[in-house]
Amino acid sequence: MSLSPSKVAPGVEPEGKPEPESASQKREPEAGPAPDPPGGWDLGAGQESEPPPSSRQESERLLESSQGQEPEARWASGQSAEPPGASAQEPPSGPVPARRDSSLSASQLGNQLFSSARCRTDCLEAPLSRAFGWLGWKVGSHPWIFLLAPMVLTAALGTGFVYLPKDEDEDLEEQYTPIGSPAKAERRFVRGHFTTNDSYRFSASRQSTEVNFASILVVSNTASLLEQEILSEVSKLDDAVQALYVTQEDGTRIHYSQACAKNQGHCVPSNPLLAAWRANNSLNLKNITFPICNQNGQPFYLASLVGGIVLGESVGTNQLLLEAKAMRLLYYLKTEDGEDNERSKAWLILFLNQFSSIEKSLALKKIQVVYFTSLSRELEFEATSMTVIPLFHLAYLLIILFAVISCYRCDCVRNKMWVAAFGVISAALAVVSGFGLMLYIGVPFVIIVANSPFLILGVGVDDMFIMISAWQKTSLMDSIKQRLSSVYSKVAVSITITTITNVLAFYTGIMTSFRSVQYFCIYTGTTLLFCYFYNITCFGAFMALDGKREVVCLRWLKKSETPDQKCSSLKKSCCLPFDSLPDEQEADIHPMNLFFRDYFGPFLTSTESKFFVVLLYILYIISSIYGCFQVQEGLDLRNLASDDSYITPYFNIDEEYFSDYGPRVMVIVTEILDYWNKDARQRLEKCLADFENNDYVDKNLTEFWLREYVRYMENNRQDINDKNTFINSISNFLMDFPLFVYDINISSSHEIIASRAFIQTIGVSSANNKKMMLFQLRSLAEKCEIPLMVYNQAFIYFDQYAAILENTVRNVIVASTAMFIVSLLLIPHPLCSLWVTFAIASVIVGVTGFMAFWNVNLDSISMINLVICIGFSFDFSAHISYAFVSSSKPSVNQKTIEALYQLGYPVLQSAFSTVIGVCVLAAAKAYIFRTFFKIMFLVMVFGAAHGLIFIPVFLTFF
């Protein structure tokens, strides 16, 4: 968005309604030839010019210091933003230049005294305008150079797309979990202190990282699957899956039995209950207990392996399992060894490709099945990027249509259809250049970066609209160099301030601890810089070339008034749509500007409307604050796939039937402890009891080697309090209980360096419960007198719940501070800074609150948009409030109307262009892209509402 506060000038009536001037206010004409400006400017002799001051303070300063000076004197002294001879016959639409009166009215004198009490605002604005005026002169003098050079640069940088990853799976943990999260440090500790062996004695809960696996959820079509016929059908499915084999290039086959994780030489059973039934078909299914079932003296856990359960009477610490609606089949594969890992992945890919065929061939009638693998998230997430490619083409077309319609004029000379179309092409060139450069220097391309081009197309064309509008206000009789110099000097601050704010908003996102957010912000911020660069080079050059077309068309129209004059078809076609000869002196006022001046402004400033707006804002802010407390935190991993993915029904069924039990968590003693010391054991047991008494832990499913060891020692009547006896008996204990061999780390000096217990979490299906469970377990570990640590593989992803809010708040504060500093530097008015801060806070609260009403979580994706909305909130609010405080109108209502007249349509145009750029994402099949649209839509609607409704009304109260 590009709205220019520098073009707002006090003491000016809106165009079309000039007030009569008194005799003392009429401007005396300035005479005298204008010499060539410094730097080789050749503007032509004998042309008189009165360039508009770049700000209110500049205007008032000139009123004091430039009376009696010639134009060239003001240019040389730096008091004019344009060289002499630059045309200013038509003031720009929206903000217009102030008149230089030879005498001051009382109100003008008061404004001047008020301005002199404030700091000067042109310390950056005036030199920037002069520099842009010089650049515009150069671009107008050599348009082909400035047009072709950026295209050559784009072609060179575009070759960076050869580094665009194609078949490489995206590491979701690396990109979408916090950098340096506590769980990653905990995982390193587990890796360094505990070993496992998935080829001999596999235990999923004892793994430090997620292993390769395939999972099938079986749902019975009847009330319960604990029936012989249904288990028989499940058994057939299990056999068909285990019969799969991969044929390698050399012809060898990899069977499931070769790739599976094993326990004592046999593949780990997919489900212990199914394995027990297959071993004994006469198994009494009415005597199954839950959550622990004992068969032939061997206990096995059913928690998370059967779901949709109905329990009966208690049997010790367990209960009878009366019904079970669903069953989970888990096929664990070898992961530790590199070669085994590759074999496992090959088998999993075969499983994904063949499962639908297996399901059809079995003609399952009594059960329904869904499936998932450890590779599914990465593969499905990668596939979502392909779904937005057709949408990008549609967005490009819509932006071109919007640009053409916005810039269409019936005047065949001033018509800017082709210029508008090239402006969209310029934004596309920026995308190619920015992305190519990032790929060249090795910035990883992640899936969410695919959102960036949609946003850039919408935002990148905003500067184009401002430049075209400024060009339309130049005189057709001036040279191309003069016209382009005038355009550049007028829009300098506008496009610069909006570029700075938007780029700063993105670059503050680099501070986040999510790499995906960092990479998105780097790509988008850099590409917006290219948009800025291409707008002031190749797009300006194209406008200059189109200006030559205007000259040709104007000459043709003048000659065509002679009946016998003929025009070539080429000239005629370049002037379409042709019309009568345009009036060079006629002001080109857009109808929307008149609408804001004559209808919307007076309506908004009426007493009844103000009351309604205040009431509307109160409802808005109350609803937003309420919504902020309803927002869910964290990225649901099912949302990484498209809506029609096979993993969506899997997660739905998993949540419906298996959500009671969460991950099995390690409780690790991280330092050497005298376990044979009774006092040390009691302190450790007290801490473990605190864990078991937690609301998110099932106290009956704790597994701890020390408890079993104490009973073992007592049964053997050995003194457990004696160090030597304690240490020497461990080896015999582990022979009887071999699973615990992975839970005790004994050094060569017979010291237990670390050990671990396991607790079973419950009731953690929601994101908030996961976050609270993680906080509470870590808090209990910290409070314990004995150094403890808690860990599970899932904590790597759970840490995002703890980090996302902290990162979002920090980024919002930093970005808002940056916007505040920019506002003080470029539009240093205290009231402006106040309203900018208010609008940013209000829009952020509104967007965050309404996210909850639109089912959008606060995650790494939505956090990007909250940072983005800071830049847009600044753009919408800063310029409207600055136009208000800069106005010399006597009443606050008139100040508001003037501000809306000058900037209402650019605000609306900018909001529409951005919404159009991202609206196609509403049709995307992936959550990650729809979320981007939803939040950008909220940002635009609320930002425009603040700029066009709330702030204009609130300003009238002060």
Side-chain angles (χ1 to χ4, degrees), residues 688-757:
L688 202 58
D690 290 338
F691 282 104
E692 293 174 330
N693 292 327
N694 186 271
D695 293 337
Y696 295 108
V697 176
D698 188 332
K699 64 175 62 179
N700 297 318
L701 295 179
T702 301
E703 183 181 6
F704 190 22
W705 71 271
L706 185 59
R707 289 179 178 176
E708 294 294 333
Y709 188 51
V710 169
R711 283 194 288 268
Y712 173 84
M713 296 288 283
E714 290 175 349
N715 292 337
N716 291 328
R717 297 182 180 180
Q718 298 186 35
D719 186 7
I720 195 171
N721 297 319
D722 180 72
K723 177 179 179 181
N724 292 330
T725 303
F726 187 98
I727 295 296
N728 294 333
S729 299
I730 288 180
S731 58
N732 293 329
F733 166 74
L734 294 178
M735 291 180 65
D736 293 339
F737 298 90
L739 192 61
F740 291 133
V741 72
Y742 300 129
D743 299 339
I744 310 172
N745 185 350
I746 304 178
S747 69
S748 58
S749 59
H750 303 290
E751 297 281 354
I752 300 179
I753 299 174
S755 71
R756 60 185 174 182

Side-chain angles (χ1 to χ4, degrees), residues 413-711:
V413 174
R414 288 175 173 156
N415 184 60
K416 294 297 174 188
M417 292 190 302
W418 300 114
V419 175
F422 184 81
V424 181
I425 295 174
S426 176
L429 295 178
V431 172
V432 174
S433 300
F435 279 38
L437 177 61
M438 294 298 99
L439 291 170
Y440 255 130
I441 64 179
V443 179
F445 184 91
V446 295
I447 297 299
I448 62 171
V449 175
N451 284 305
S452 183
F454 297 93
L455 176 65
I456 292 168
L457 277 180
V459 176
V461 299
D462 293 340
D463 290 347
M464 171 195 75
F465 292 132
I466 293 296
M467 295 179 70
I468 290 178
S469 176
W471 177 271
Q472 299 282 37
K473 304 310 171 187
T474 59
S475 173
L476 291 171
M477 306 307 296
D478 290 336
S479 68
I480 301 299
K481 294 177 287 188
Q482 290 173 289
R483 298 176 69 184
L484 204 60
S485 175
S486 175
V487 168
Y488 273 45
S489 64
K490 291 174 183 176
V491 304
V493 176
S494 171
I495 64 177
T496 300
I497 191 174
T498 52
T499 299
I500 290 174
T501 53
N502 289 327
V503 170
L504 276 178
F506 280 108
Y507 280 168
T508 55
I510 301 176
M511 300 173 52
T512 66
S513 57
F514 293 87
R515 295 195 187 277
S516 58
V517 178
Q518 293 178 349
Y519 298 147
F520 176 90
C521 292
I522 291 173
Y523 271 90
T524 309
T526 303
T527 305
L528 285 178
L529 287 176
F530 273 100
C531 280
Y532 175 75
F533 173 70
Y534 286 176
N535 272 324
I536 61 177
T537 53
C538 66
F539 178 71
F542 192 86
M543 278 207 310
L545 295 175
D546 187 73
K548 295 182 178 181
R549 179 200 62 83
E550 291 179 351
V551 174
V552 173
C553 291
L554 185 62
R555 291 175 180 172
W556 174 77
L557 287 173
K558 289 181 177 180
K559 293 179 180 180
S560 64
E561 293 178 347
T562 305
D564 57 351
Q565 180 69 35
K566 294 183 178 181
C567 179
S568 68
S569 58
L570 178 61
K571 290 184 178 180
K572 186 174 181 180
S573 63
C574 82
C575 295
L576 291 176
F578 51 87
D579 199 353
S580 60
L581 185 65
D583 184 359
E584 294 86 351
Q585 307 302 323
E586 181 183 356
D588 188 9
I589 305 176
H590 198 282
M592 286 300 298
N593 293 93
L594 300 179
F595 167 78
F596 277 98
R597 185 192 67 186
D598 298 336
Y599 298 99
F600 184 77
F603 170 78
L604 191 65
T605 53
S606 65
T607 304
E608 295 81 3
S609 296
K610 291 181 182 179
F611 175 80
F612 176 78
V613 168
V614 171
L615 179 62
L616 180 64
Y617 183 79
I618 292 174
L619 294 176
Y620 159 80
I621 203 67
I622 291 176
S623 301
S624 300
I625 294 174
Y626 171 78
C628 288
F629 291 98
Q630 309 302 316
V631 173
Q632 297 292 320
E633 298 175 27
L635 180 62
D636 190 339
L637 295 180
R638 83 184 73 182
N639 292 330
L640 296 178
S642 59
D643 299 338
D644 55 0
S645 170
Y646 62 87
I647 75 174
T648 301
Y650 176 89
F651 278 106
N652 292 339
I653 291 177
D654 183 70
E655 183 177 351
E656 182 178 359
Y657 295 113
F658 298 93
S659 60
D660 292 339
Y661 290 88
R664 195 162 179 79
V665 177
M666 304 177 192
V667 180
I668 306 166
V669 182
T670 59
E671 296 181 6
I672 296 175
L673 181 68
D674 297 335
Y675 294 90
W676 53 87
N677 185 292
K678 185 177 180 179
D679 180 64
R681 290 200 306 271
Q682 288 178 347
R683 286 185 286 126
L684 181 56
E685 279 292 338
K686 180 181 181 301
C687 295
L688 202 58
D690 290 338
F691 282 104
E692 293 174 330
N693 292 327
N694 186 271
D695 293 337
Y696 295 108
V697 176
D698 188 332
K699 64 175 62 179
N700 297 318
L701 295 179
T702 301
E703 183 181 6
F704 190 22
W705 71 271
L706 185 59
R707 289 179 178 176
E708 294 294 333
Y709 188 51
V710 169
R711 283 194 288 268

Side-chain angles (χ1 to χ4, degrees), residues 863-923:
M863 179 172 63
I864 294 172
N865 300 85
L866 290 177
V867 174
I868 292 173
C869 79
I870 296 173
F872 289 121
S873 302
F874 177 92
D875 293 342
F876 284 130
S877 59
H879 304 307
I880 289 289
S881 59
Y882 188 81
F884 177 89
V885 300
S886 298
S887 174
S888 62
K889 293 296 182 180
S891 69
V892 290
N893 286 346
Q894 290 177 340
K895 290 175 182 287
T896 297
I897 294 173
E898 184 177 18
L900 289 171
Y901 165 71
Q902 294 168 344
L903 294 172
Y905 183 52
V907 166
L908 199 60
Q909 195 177 38
S910 299
F912 263 109
S913 65
T914 305
V915 169
I916 289 173
V918 299
C919 70
V920 296
L921 294 178

Side-chain angles (χ1 to χ4, degrees), residues 326-346:
M327 175 182 288
R328 188 194 305 271
L329 305 180
L330 280 169
Y331 302 89
Y332 289 110
L333 305 173
K334 296 177 183 178
T335 306
E336 291 177 349
D337 182 74
E339 184 177 350
D340 288 338
N341 186 37
E342 293 303 317
R343 289 180 179 179
S344 299
K345 289 183 177 180

Side-chain angles (χ1 to χ4, degrees), residues 850-871:
F850 277 77
M851 280 167 49
F853 304 141
W854 214 346
N855 298 321
V856 176
N857 289 358
L858 179 59
D859 51 38
S860 57
I861 300 168
S862 56
M863 179 172 63
I864 294 172
N865 300 85
L866 290 177
V867 174
I868 292 173
C869 79
I870 296 173

Side-chain angles (χ1 to χ4, degrees), residues 220 222-227 230 273 285-290 302 305-313 319-327 657-658 660:
S220 173
T222 61
S224 176
L225 54 71
L226 298 179
E227 300 175 6
I230 297 179
L273 179 58
L285 297 174
K286 302 297 183 182
N287 290 333
I288 302 298
T289 57
F290 186 89
L302 295 180
L305 294 176
V306 292
I309 59 176
V310 177
L311 300 177
E313 63 183 34
Q319 291 179 276
L320 286 177
L321 181 61
L322 301 181
E323 294 181 2
K325 181 71 173 177
M327 175 182 288
Y657 295 113
F658 298 93
D660 292 339

